[in-house]
């Protein structure tokens, strides 16, 4: 009997311990309206048995933080605290000094306020990229428009320059009468990518505003900005690319990534290839991605997965979603393809999202996971053509086994479809804005009114029981490739978790129409040095060359056990 009583006591103690562990790992995921659902966090230990920080919101949380003033059709982070928000010319409420409606603003991420910006040319469906010194170039756009509410000159060939500032003194620089400030031809829905040389690769588009591209309107050419030295701007001619003909009709906003060997990868529709810019030469055509079109207007989500020096910086591209046809009730695609461009014979590995989605935004989170949000389940991209919004983000873990890489996080309750945007911010939250299914501003009497609210999404990694690490030393404003930079961090607390530190370097790019131009991230090699309490100094090595991370503005996060710091800004050149 004594033995039985002892066994009973042991079982009771085990039950209490089990309940205690559940209590520690149970949490609530809430949307910004306060509706909560409780979950139990299962993965509280690493593969080698070490404890992991436990998020109190294991599926994150959305919160409305402000308004954009203009419809957020394009965005670019131009300083750590300032976001350019670019719309087309339309009747937004904020007014310029002339009394006409503004369609560009600079948003202050600290104050959650915006200032209106003057712009001469129509920025509708433009592209963008950053020069090595951090200057942002906006290119392309749409037709001249005149009304009592707003006015704009034609922007089809325009180049606009933004030199960032922190004192609200900067504005758009334009000179559309000068050939040096114009592209060689009209480009609507143009893609722009920063090359390893620091030049901008300008690709494709159409020569007029339209719903879907066709042979007569197609611009199957590419050019370089700044224009090559030694050639008069008026004499510079673009280069023909047969691939942009073969990818018709769904070839607008093609996706472009630089590769370790100096070549670039281009994807449009279902087609992709490796291309050498310097020689204007196709290196290799790759297999078509199965399942249906993935480019505008049957828009899918595209992302270059984070690079890792331990994997020889393998360049892997993930493409998810799209639509089966250009029909109002066409079904969105649920499939994803992943291709490793470092393979001798690259092939698509197929997977599925939890929910079909088109017009989704794929962003790289601070911990290297991919967040796919916004979009809808039926229709195609264009005014009043999307239906059945997808509210829940899909999270993709590139390191997980095939078949278990996806999960869904807490949903928003704001529909975000055509002309929506999202971006990872330096504080490791996600900026979410936009959605305008209407050809002009409509605030009522339509299924989906023009959306001005901004949401901040807090990922689970910011809700754990581990304090965020902090970069406490000054990171140089300008660094060069392969430079070893001493970085001192404070992990704040080692009583619960042994320090496990990773450094990530990322470029945010230019975002529009589910296309995140030049977005990329890489892990950095870091050697541990001096330790003083919770402060640790590392020698952090920048990427070895510009093929891996082209020059320009970048943000460096340090993560401790998966919990990210606020990022430090630097220019990599």
């Amino acid at each position: 009997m004594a033995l039985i009583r002892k066994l009973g006591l042991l079982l009771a103690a085990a039950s209490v311990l089990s309940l205690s562990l559940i209590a520690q790992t149970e949490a609530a995921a809430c949307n910004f309206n306060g509706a909560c659902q409780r979950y139990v966090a299962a993965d509280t230990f690493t593969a080698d048995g070490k404890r992991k920080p436990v998020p109190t919101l294991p599926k994150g949380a959305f919160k409305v933080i402000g308004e954009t003033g203009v419809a957020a059709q394009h965005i670019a982070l131009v300083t750590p605290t300032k976001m350019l928000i670019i719309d087309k010319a339309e009747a937004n409420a904020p007014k310029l000094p002339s009394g006409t409606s503004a369609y560009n603003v600079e948003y202050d991420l600290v104050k959650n306020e915006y200032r209106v910006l003057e712009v001469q040319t129509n920025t509708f469906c433009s592209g963008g990229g950053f020069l090595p010194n951090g200057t942002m170039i906006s290119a392309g756009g749409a037709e001249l428009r005149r009304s009592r509410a707003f006015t704009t000159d034609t922007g089809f060939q325009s180049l606009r320059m933004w030199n960032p500032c922190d004192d609200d003194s900067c504005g758009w620089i334009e000179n559309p009468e000068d050939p040096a400030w114009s592209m060689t031809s009209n480009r609507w829905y143009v893609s722009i990518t920063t090359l390893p040389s620091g030049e901008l690769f300008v690709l494709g588009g159409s020569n007029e505003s339209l719903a879907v591209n066709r042979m007569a309107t197609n611009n199957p050419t590419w050019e370089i900005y700044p224009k090559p030295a030694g050639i008069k701007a008026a004499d510079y001619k673009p280069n023909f690319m047969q691939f942009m003909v073969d990818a018709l009709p769904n070839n607008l906003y093609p996706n472009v990534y630089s590769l370790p060997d100096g070549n670039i990868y281009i994807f449009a529709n279902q087609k992709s290839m490796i291309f050498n810019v310097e020689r204007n030469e196709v290196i290799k055509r790759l297999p078509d991605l199965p399942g249906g079109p993935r480019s505008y207007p049957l828009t899918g989500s595209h992302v270059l997965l984070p690079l890792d020096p331990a994997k020889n910086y393998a360049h892997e591209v993930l493409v998810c979603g799209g639509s089966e046809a250009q029909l109002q009730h066409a079904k969105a695609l649920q499939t994803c393809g992943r291709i490793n461009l470092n393979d001798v014979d690259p092939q698509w590995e197929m997977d599925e999202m939890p929910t079909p989605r088109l017009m989704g935004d794929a962003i790289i989170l601070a911990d290297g996971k991919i967040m796919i949000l916004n979009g809808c389940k039926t229709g195609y991209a264009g005014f009043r053509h999307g239906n059945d919004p997808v509210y829940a983000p899909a999270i993709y873990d590139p390191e997980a086994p095939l078949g278990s890489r996806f999960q869904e996080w807490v949903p928003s309750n704001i529909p975000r479809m055509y002309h929506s945007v999202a971006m990872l911010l330096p504080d490791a939250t996600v900026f979410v804005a936009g959605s305008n299914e209407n050809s002009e501003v409509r605030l009522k009497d339509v299924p989906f009114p023009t959306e001005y609210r901004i949401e901040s999404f807090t990922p689970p990694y910011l809700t754990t029981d581990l304090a965020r690490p902090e970069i406490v030393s000054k990171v140089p404003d300008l660094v060069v490739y392969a430079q070893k930079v001493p970085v001192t961090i404070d992990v704040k607390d080692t009583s619960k978790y042994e320090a496990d530190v990773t450094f990530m370097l990322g470029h945010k790019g230019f975002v529009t129409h589910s296309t995140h131009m030049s977005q990329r991230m890489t892990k950095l090699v870091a050697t541990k040095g001096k330790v003083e309490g919770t402060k640790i100094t590392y020698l952090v090595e920048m990427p070895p060359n510009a093929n891996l991370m082209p020059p320009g503005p970048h943000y460096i996060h340090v993560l401790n056990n998966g919990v990210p710091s606020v990022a430090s800004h630097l220019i990599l050149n």
Side-chain angles (χ1 to χ4, degrees), residues 193-197 199-203 222-224 241 255-267 272-278 281-284 286 315 317 341 520 547 550:
T193 304
T194 304
L195 296 175
S197 63
E199 299 164 306
L200 299 182
F201 180 76
V202 181
L203 175 63
W222 62 270
E223 59 186 282
I224 294 293
M241 182 181 281
N255 293 84
V256 183
Y257 306 104
S258 67
L259 299 177
D261 58 5
N263 295 318
I264 61 173
Y265 170 81
I266 303 174
F267 181 99
S272 61
M273 70 170 180
I274 296 173
F275 182 77
N276 185 281
V277 175
E278 188 175 346
E281 178 185 344
V282 177
I283 303 301
K284 182 187 292 186
L286 299 171
H315 279 50
V317 173
L341 301 173
R520 56 201 295 137
N547 294 337

Side-chain angles (χ1 to χ4, degrees), residues 287-305:
D288 284 2
L289 173 57
R294 316 279 182 158
S295 298
Y296 187 92
L298 309 183
T299 308
S301 310
H302 307 249
V303 65
L304 176 68
L305 298 179

Side-chain angles (χ1 to χ4, degrees), residues 3 20 38 52 86 180 183 203 232 301 343 399 435 441 474-475 486 555:
L3 178 60
S20 173
R38 300 196 72 81
K52 288 166 54 177
I86 301 170
M183 293 182 291
L203 175 63
K232 289 184 179 180
S301 310
D343 288 347
E399 302 302 319
S435 194
V441 173
K474 176 70 171 70
V475 175
Y555 292 84

Side-chain angles (χ1 to χ4, degrees), residues 357-389:
R357 188 187 307 251
L358 69 131
M359 295 187 283
D361 284 278
I363 63 170
I364 310 172
L365 296 175
D367 62 359
K369 292 184 176 65
I370 308 302
M371 182 180 188
I372 303 176
L373 70 165
N374 302 336
C376 58
K377 289 186 280 189
T378 58
Y380 60 98
F383 295 126
R384 303 289 290 273
H385 295 310
N387 297 284
D388 302 318

Side-chain angles (χ1 to χ4, degrees), residues 287-433:
D288 284 2
L289 173 57
R294 316 279 182 158
S295 298
Y296 187 92
L298 309 183
T299 308
S301 310
H302 307 249
V303 65
L304 176 68
L305 298 179
L307 310 181
D308 187 346
K311 299 178 181 179
N312 197 29
Y313 298 100
H315 279 50
E316 295 187 79
V317 173
L318 179 71
V319 181
C320 289
S323 182
E324 62 183 5
Q326 192 182 347
L327 298 170
Q328 195 75 22
H329 300 293
K331 294 179 180 178
L333 304 180
Q334 193 167 355
T335 56
C336 298
R338 175 171 169 173
I339 191 168
N340 187 339
L341 301 173
N342 283 36
D343 288 347
V344 175
D345 182 24
Q347 299 291 324
W348 290 101
E349 175 188 79
M350 300 307 292
D351 204 344
E352 279 198 354
M353 295 182 289
T355 305
R357 188 187 307 251
L358 69 131
M359 295 187 283
D361 284 278
I363 63 170
I364 310 172
L365 296 175
D367 62 359
K369 292 184 176 65
I370 308 302
M371 182 180 188
I372 303 176
L373 70 165
N374 302 336
C376 58
K377 289 186 280 189
T378 58
Y380 60 98
F383 295 126
R384 303 289 290 273
H385 295 310
N387 297 284
D388 302 318
V390 181
Y391 295 97
I395 308 305
Y396 180 86
D397 184 351
E399 302 302 319
L402 179 64
S404 58
R405 292 172 180 162
F406 276 106
Q407 61 175 303
E408 286 190 330
W409 281 355
V410 68
S412 168
N413 68 357
I414 298 178
R416 296 196 189 271
M417 298 185 289
Y418 191 45
H419 292 162
S420 297
V421 292
M423 182 183 287
L424 178 74
L425 295 182
D427 68 358
T429 64
V430 179
F431 179 95
V432 188

Side-chain angles (χ1 to χ4, degrees), residues 22-41:
I22 290 174
Q24 288 176 15
T25 59
E26 185 178 354
C30 310
N31 64 26
F32 62 84
N33 284 328
C36 298
Q37 190 172 359
R38 300 196 72 81
Y39 301 90
V40 174

Side-chain angles (χ1 to χ4, degrees), residues 138-181:
S138 164
E143 63 277 352
L144 175 149
R145 300 193 72 190
R146 296 282 188 265
S147 77
R148 285 180 291 181
F150 56 86
T151 180
T152 183
D153 293 337
T154 182
F156 282 119
Q157 296 186 36
S158 294
L159 290 165
R160 312 165 196 90
M161 180 180 291
W162 184 273
N163 290 319
C165 67
D166 287 315
D167 60 2
D168 294 347
S169 63
C170 42
W172 284 114
I173 304 169
E174 299 176 271
N175 187 5
E177 305 304 318
D178 184 344
W181 286 81

